[in-house]
Amino acid sequence: MDLQLADPLPKTPFGTEMREEHFSFAEGYRPLNHGSFGAFPAAVQDFQRQLQSESEARPDAFIRYTYLKLLEESRAAIAPLLGAEPGEVVLVPNATTGVNTVLRNLSFEEGDVVVYFSAIYKACLKTLQSLSETSPLSTHEIGITYPIEDDEITRRFRSAVEDLRAQGKQPKLAIFDTVLTFPGVRFPWEALVAACRELEIMSLIDGAHGIGHLDLTHLGAVGPDFMVSNCYKWLMVPRGCAVLYVPFRNQKLISSTVPRPWGYETREQRAKTEPQAYFSRLFDKVSTTDNTPYCCVPGALEFRSEICGGEASVRRYCEDIARRGGARMAEILGTEVLGSSSSSFRRCAFANVRLPLGLEVLGIDAGSGRRVAKWMQELTPAEYETYLPIKFYRGEFWCRVSGQIYLTVQDFEWAAKTLLELCERAKNGEWK
């Protein structure tokens, strides 16, 4: 029997000390919304600035040669986190760019359908709407409202595909998340990939909240057709970096980046080129932008390993602090966290907490409820030195908070007290 070694202890304790020693937040700022734009440590920021200085000192040498070497190192460093080969991953600015790259490289015929869930990220939905104006694809939405269990989501997916085929339509591709944006919950992406394979449908995973958040080292074995994940949200890489995974078997389907790169070749030329070599070359240099975030992947991984004790240590703390912090918030607010403690969708670094505020107390309808939620949300950066995502969902007001290594339960307690104050202000009619 092999012995399992414990994860190394963090060199800096998680919580307030981690925040003060390694991150650059303003004094008094409470970073409770890591999920939107992430945060990266000062050491990684210093490295990026060093690269930017090198780029300005010798632009041609850096952009033409140094950058490409660093990019190769980043691809080799990030591939194991996805259980992939370096040749199966490339770096793009963000998940939306990755989703667009895949969708705009696929060809659609009359009757083809893209299947998605009602919780889809709106930028992805708008991409589908845009494509439907210029290609013959149609879309089909599967409605879901949380709390809902994973098995029911998979059942609805299979049923939708069967119904579409009974109507003479051809489901070609399914889009789904690793972790939803709102509510912040883990999605059954592994089961859906398996269902897609069985039903002979291509799968595209929007893993915006994926790498650095969930353990994805089995992704290559699970075998989606495409997957993109933001590195700047949870992996602590500077903003403007995401990883696009395209397994070798599908690289022949990708003929161009978005926008078209210098490495693009015509169909005739592509036929003479080995698909893997062409795929890698496509993404080396797309256009002249600041690509230094791509080069910071190894540095971010080194920080997470050397200072934080490794990927498993980071994930464990983030999920635990989200669970404990969310429970404490619900206790202070006198409400609840979305889903039971045993719900599989809660196995992530988000907590969704209901606010003690109802339409009947405010004397408004659902349309005004969305206005109130937006008003409360926008007050948090304007007056409270934080940002709390507040949404009107399934007839009630909810707040999504993020767990991260620089947070403590006290931060969540502060958030709950802030929300209580915002609820009182809403009841007093300030939102009007």
Side-chain angles (χ1 to χ4, degrees), residues 58-304:
R58 298 177 179 82
D60 278 287
F62 184 88
I63 296 171
R64 294 178 187 275
Y65 306 108
T66 304
Y67 160 68
L68 292 177
K69 179 178 180 296
L70 294 172
L71 178 64
E72 184 178 351
E73 293 173 359
S74 288
R75 292 174 62 190
I78 205 167
L81 297 184
L82 302 178
E85 296 293 327
E88 295 178 302
V89 298
V90 290
L91 298 177
V92 294
N94 48 56
T96 302
T97 300
V99 169
N100 270 264
T101 300
V102 172
L103 289 175
R104 296 183 187 279
N105 273 280
L106 298 179
S107 58
F108 297 96
E109 300 177 356
E110 199 69 42
D112 286 346
V113 181
V114 175
V115 181
Y116 66 92
F117 293 86
S118 56
I120 189 173
Y121 187 61
K122 290 300 179 285
C124 297
L125 177 58
K126 290 180 182 296
T127 300
L128 291 175
Q129 292 170 339
S130 172
L131 277 171
S132 68
E133 296 177 2
T134 57
S135 66
L137 78 85
S138 62
T139 60
H140 179 81
E141 178 181 287
I142 302 171
I144 56 170
T145 303
Y146 277 87
I148 181 174
E149 295 304 324
D150 291 352
D151 288 347
E152 175 61 14
I153 291 173
T154 307
R155 188 198 67 78
R156 291 188 190 185
F157 175 73
R158 290 179 176 276
S159 177
V161 171
E162 292 171 2
D163 290 345
L164 288 167
R165 285 177 170 161
Q167 298 168 29
K169 299 178 180 179
Q170 178 53 50
K172 178 166 183 169
L173 175 77
I175 301 180
F176 45 87
D177 301 65
T178 47
V179 176
L180 298 184
T181 294
F182 202 96
V185 295
R186 193 188 195 282
F187 212 58
W189 62 273
E190 295 104 327
L192 289 169
V193 169
C196 285
R197 185 183 303 109
E198 181 183 331
L199 295 167
E200 298 183 329
I201 301 171
M202 300 190 81
S203 53
L204 167 56
I205 300 178
D206 175 10
H209 300 282
I211 196 165
H213 186 163
L214 304 179
D215 181 2
L216 298 178
T217 54
H218 60 309
L219 180 116
V222 173
D225 288 294
F226 309 96
M227 187 267 195
V228 63
S229 188
N230 285 324
C231 302
Y232 65 83
K233 284 185 183 286
W234 297 92
L235 200 62
M236 301 180 187
V237 175
R239 290 170 202 93
C241 180
V243 58
L244 173 61
Y245 164 77
V246 181
F248 291 130
R249 68 179 185 275
N250 287 333
Q251 291 182 3
K252 61 183 179 296
L253 300 176
I254 305 297
S255 64
S256 177
T257 63
V258 176
R260 296 244 191 278
W262 67 271
Y264 172 79
E265 299 287 359
T266 63
R267 183 181 289 108
E268 292 74 21
Q269 285 299 115
R270 293 200 300 274
K272 303 174 185 176
T273 307
E274 199 274 323
Q276 295 176 21
Y278 179 69
F279 175 75
S280 294
R281 193 178 74 210
L282 267 180
F283 291 85
D284 282 349
K285 286 193 288 186
V286 177
S287 59
T288 305
T289 59
D290 180 5
N291 289 333
T292 55
Y294 295 0
C295 307
C296 293
V297 170
L301 294 179
E302 182 180 357
F303 175 84
R304 292 163 71 89

Side-chain angles (χ1 to χ4, degrees), residues 8 10 18 25 28 75 103 151 224 233 241 262 281 311 325 341 347 365 406 424:
M18 177 66 72
F25 299 112
R75 292 174 62 190
L103 289 175
D151 288 347
K233 284 185 183 286
C241 180
W262 67 271
R281 193 178 74 210
E311 293 299 310
S341 59
R347 291 186 290 110
D365 59 14
Y406 47 63
E424 287 303 312

Side-chain angles (χ1 to χ4, degrees), residues 5 33 52 66 106 108 137 170 176 178 202 291 295 299 343 345 352 372 375 378 383 393 413:
L5 297 178
N33 182 41
Q52 291 169 333
T66 304
L106 298 179
F108 297 96
L137 78 85
Q170 178 53 50
F176 45 87
T178 47
M202 300 190 81
N291 289 333
C295 307
S343 295
F345 62 74
N352 308 277
V372 171
W375 172 81
E378 292 179 349
E383 299 185 17
Y393 181 71
E413 291 175 340

